[in-house]
Structures are given as structure tokens and as C-alpha cells.
Amino acid sequence: MAGSTKRYDLILRGGRVIDPASGRNRKADVGIADGRIAAVKAGIKGTKRAIDVSGALVLPGLIDTHAHVYRHVTGAFGLDADLCGVRSGVTTVVDQGGPSLMTLPGFRQFIVEPAKTRVLCFLSTYMVGGLEGHRYPSLYGPEQVDVKRTAEVAIANADIVKGIKAHAEIGGASRWGCQVLERAREIASKAKLPVYVHLGQLWPTEGVDVDPDAVVREMVPLMRKGDILAHPFTRHPGGFISEKTGRLHPAVKKAVARGVRVDVGHGAHFSFKMARAALEQGIRPFSLGADLHGYSIAVPEARAGEIGLPANDRAPFGLCHAMTELLALGMALEDVVATVTSNAAEAIGMADELGSLAKGRAADVSVVDMVPGPWELRDNSGETVQAERAIVPRFALRDGVRYDADSPLLPELAAAA
């Protein structure tokens, strides 16, 4: 009918929309119909329901590129996908190396399918997957890699497998040299997927002294354009920054120049000191993963049963908390948002589906508040940094369905003294 008003199922009204993929950064309404983005503009009318988000940031659904959500199978390592996902304001999580060629069917049935969050993964290079690998390095040698079958499984499950997970660190190098990473690179090539490489010591060395700089020098050149190098801000030996010189490794600099991408992979590795050094020497994170896992968590007693972990305190960090840290380190807000939206979607090969509020896309939206401080941020080395503002999730829409950010894992803000 001429002059009729389009009907929307929901309008997010009055927020500041930041969508790096479209270059949009302004106040606008977001109209949603049938679980999809129907319009992004000022003054949308005609809706069954509206939510006033004035003063909030309205972002494409946040993507956590480094999660550990294969509960029970990976022991205390895996967390509940929805507590890390929609109930933390995050619409997509990418499990890094939890499932393997042998355990992917269980991951699909028991983690991916029941979750309200979109759950994807980078398939483990190793046949055993992420079975508490920090404790049992013997499970992660070259004998535990089946190149042909892992590639076949990745290809057959392309809807959820978006890459291959591997390690390049001194404990493994002391045992096997570059053999495992070489096989991971072969799997990724066969499957036409990126390989995501953990940099920075994971296991203790075994019976031989290993030069961390030499490990970086030998392993990083194996990576190709589109591969992902993780943990640029690690406090552990064998990272982006040489402990000997305090300078960025030449091999890392060359890798970035040829198109290898950098993922923060926050976790327990994160160091403000190393972050400042890397940023000052030209490293800019392409994507941002929280790397939140059970070993990092202590949870309130009242919610311990729900999470399946011992009672204590909340998580020390999360995806929005990591975004706050990048802001405190001097990155522009728009660039930080890109790391968890458009860039993240590109890194996992889904830029045509995720990471934008473009019309017709699935209505995956994260609404967050910018809370003025000052706030005290603390890394695992004990260093504190003051943040003038903090990004705090309010709620997420996944395919247009609302989930409040009520996860008991969300860290509490600490006021600066």
C-alpha cells in the first residue's frame, strides 16, 4: 500500500552505531525483521517492539577468535559456550584447537548444536585435540598428527571448521623441532584454510637448551599470507619481542609484511609491557581473542555448579575487557571494534556473512556501554594500567533474539585508586 510504514520486529533506537565494514560511525536506529538486519538509519518507525539504547554503542555481533568451549572433553580447559558467548555480549566464538579429527562429531552434537551462540572452531593439528595439552606434551608430537585425515575432516565440516590450530614454541621445538608445525601447514594447505599458530613458550624444554629467538626465526617463516600468528603481547619466552634485545623479531616483521595476520589471543599470556613494546614497533592486532579458559577462572560459589568449576571469583578478563585494554594502550575505538567484527570475520573466512550490520545479514548485534572511569587494569605479571573508560556488554542479539549480558564469568571493574 502506498505510504505504508514498513513493520519491524524490533528497533534498537538511539545508539551510536559503529560498523567498520561499512565505515559507519554515527547515531542511528537499527531495524530488525525476521531475524535479519532490515535497516540502519535515523528515525526508523513501525515496530512491534523497540529498545532504547541511547548512550550505548551498537556494534556488529562480537566475534571471539580464541575461545575454549569444548567442555568436559578438554577437562577444566573448556567453558560453557553461552557464558563466553551471548551471555557475555559475544555472538560468535571460535574454539581454538579443542576438537580434533576424532572428537569433532562430539563437538558438533554437544557444543555447537545446543548453543545459542554461534560456535565455530579451528581444528586441532593433533589427533587428540585439546586434551589438557599443557600437562601432557607427549600427546602433541609429530606421531600424533594425521595430515591426510585431518584435512579430510576439516573439508567435510567446512560449516564449522574455519582453520587449523598449531604451536610454535620452545618446549615443542626441544622435542620435535619444526616437524609438527610443518605438518600443520600441510593440513592447512590441503584444506585451503589458515593455520593459527601459538607463539610463546607452552611446555618446559626437555633435555636440551633452546634459543627462543632461534625458534621464532625457524618456525615463523613457515607461515603464509592469511595465516594467523597469536599472542603478540605474551610475557613468555619465544614471543614477538626478543628477550635478548627487546626488539621485534625480524622474522615476525617479515611475516606481517607478507600478509600473516596477528591475533591478540589474550589469555594468561597478556603483558602490558610486551604490548607497549610490540605496538611501539609497529605491530597492530588484526583480530582479538579472549583466550578465556578454565585455568584462568575462579567463580562465585552461588554459580559454581552452573559452570562446573570450583567457587571463588569472576574471570580476570574477557573479550570486552580485552577491548578495554587495547583502548587503554592507545588504539582508536574504531580500530578496536574492527578487531572483533569485520577483521575477525575476514580472518575466519566469513566476511560475507558476519562482522557487519549490512542490510540482509543475520541480526547478530552487540550492545555495549562505555563506562567512564578511571578503572584499574591488571595483567598476569602484576602490572597495573589506568583506563579512563571501560567497555561493558549490555546485551546481544543472535539472529534477532535478545540475550542479556549476565554471565557469571564477566569480570568486575576495579576502580583506580
Side-chain angles (χ1 to χ4, degrees):
M1 180 183 298
S4 64
T5 301
K6 179 178 176 64
R7 300 299 297 179
Y8 299 91
D9 299 319
L10 174 65
I11 295 175
L12 301 179
R13 199 179 297 285
R16 176 184 171 189
V17 174
I18 303 180
D19 183 2
S22 68
R24 185 181 285 113
N25 184 350
R26 63 178 181 271
K27 186 175 179 179
D29 299 340
V30 177
I32 294 160
D34 299 322
R36 298 203 165 265
I37 303 296
V40 181
K41 61 183 180 180
I44 296 178
K45 294 181 172 55
T47 183
K48 300 174 184 176
R49 185 164 61 101
I51 301 174
D52 185 354
V53 293
S54 300
L57 303 183
V58 180
L59 314 176
L62 302 185
I63 302 168
D64 186 341
T65 52
H66 193 139
H68 293 287
V69 295
Y70 202 171
R71 292 186 70 194
H72 308 302
V73 171
T74 55
F77 216 70
L79 294 165
D80 181 89
D82 288 337
L83 296 187
C84 297
V86 289
R87 291 177 61 187
S88 287
V90 177
T91 59
T92 299
V93 299
V94 183
D95 187 290
Q96 282 296 340
S100 70
L101 67 91
M102 295 192 296
T103 65
L104 187 66
F107 183 75
R108 179 186 289 276
Q109 181 170 346
F110 297 113
I111 306 300
V112 175
E113 293 177 358
K116 305 302 182 184
T117 308
R118 178 184 285 102
V119 180
L120 308 169
C121 71
F122 273 43
L123 195 64
S124 177
T125 294
Y126 321 98
M127 290 187 289
V128 296
L131 299 181
E132 294 194 310
H134 287 74
R135 298 183 178 182
Y136 308 109
S138 61
L139 295 177
Y140 295 87
E143 318 78 40
Q144 314 301 332
V145 180
D146 184 333
V147 171
K148 180 175 181 294
R149 184 60 183 148
T150 302
E152 289 172 349
V153 169
I155 293 167
N157 294 273
D159 60 324
I160 59 172
V161 176
K162 301 302 175 181
I164 304 299
K165 172 68 184 296
H167 301 86
E169 54 80 55
I170 65 177
S174 72
R175 293 166 169 82
W176 317 297
C178 295
Q179 292 181 66
V180 178
L181 185 57
E182 288 169 345
R183 296 183 188 192
R185 177 64 267 165
E186 188 178 353
I187 295 167
S189 296
K190 288 179 180 293
K192 295 181 171 55
L193 292 170
V195 61
Y196 183 107
V197 176
H198 168 115
L199 204 64
Q201 186 172 7
L202 178 66
W203 297 299
T205 57
E206 185 175 73
V208 61
D209 289 330
V210 178
D211 179 1
D213 287 356
V215 173
V216 175
R217 188 165 54 246
E218 293 171 14
M219 291 197 178
V220 170
L222 296 173
M223 301 181 70
R224 302 177 183 174
K225 182 178 180 179
D227 288 342
I228 303 167
L229 193 56
H231 309 310
F233 307 149
T234 182
R235 60 194 175 92
H236 299 305
F240 278 50
I241 304 297
S242 168
E243 288 190 325
K244 296 178 183 177
T245 67
R247 304 298 300 170
L248 181 69
H249 282 284
V252 172
K253 185 175 183 180
K254 290 177 182 178
V256 172
R258 66 174 179 270
V260 172
R261 291 166 172 157
V262 176
D263 182 83
V264 170
H266 186 290
H269 316 275
F270 181 86
S271 159
F272 283 118
K273 176 182 177 181
M274 291 302 183
R276 283 190 292 268
L279 290 167
E280 288 168 1
Q281 295 178 59
I283 292 297
R284 288 295 179 271
F286 187 76
S287 57
L288 171 60
D291 191 12
L292 189 61
H293 49 74
Y295 295 133
S296 301
I297 303 292
V299 293
E301 186 171 359
R303 308 300 295 276
E306 175 185 355
I307 303 169
L309 292 172
N312 201 333
D313 296 318
R314 292 172 180 256
F317 55 85
L319 191 63
C320 287
H321 185 87
M323 292 171 69
T324 297
E325 290 177 329
L326 294 186
L327 284 178
L329 286 163
M331 284 185 63
L333 175 60
E334 294 82 356
D335 293 337
V336 173
V337 171
T339 66
V340 290
T341 57
S342 55
N343 289 2
E346 185 177 344
I348 61 175
M350 297 185 72
D352 59 342
E353 300 177 51
L354 304 178
S356 174
L357 296 176
K359 185 177 179 179
R361 295 284 183 95
D364 285 8
V365 185
S366 294
V367 177
V368 304
D369 292 307
M370 190 73 76
V371 182
W375 306 107
E376 181 181 272
L377 309 176
R378 180 183 298 271
D379 67 15
N380 272 28
S381 299
E383 181 179 352
T384 59
V385 167
Q386 183 170 297
E388 297 308 317
R389 49 188 177 164
I391 297 173
V392 177
R394 186 186 298 188
F395 66 87
L397 303 181
R398 168 82 166 91
D399 287 336
V401 178
R402 176 173 175 163
Y403 300 91
D404 289 335
D406 62 357
S407 172
L409 301 182
L410 288 169
E412 293 180 324
L413 290 175

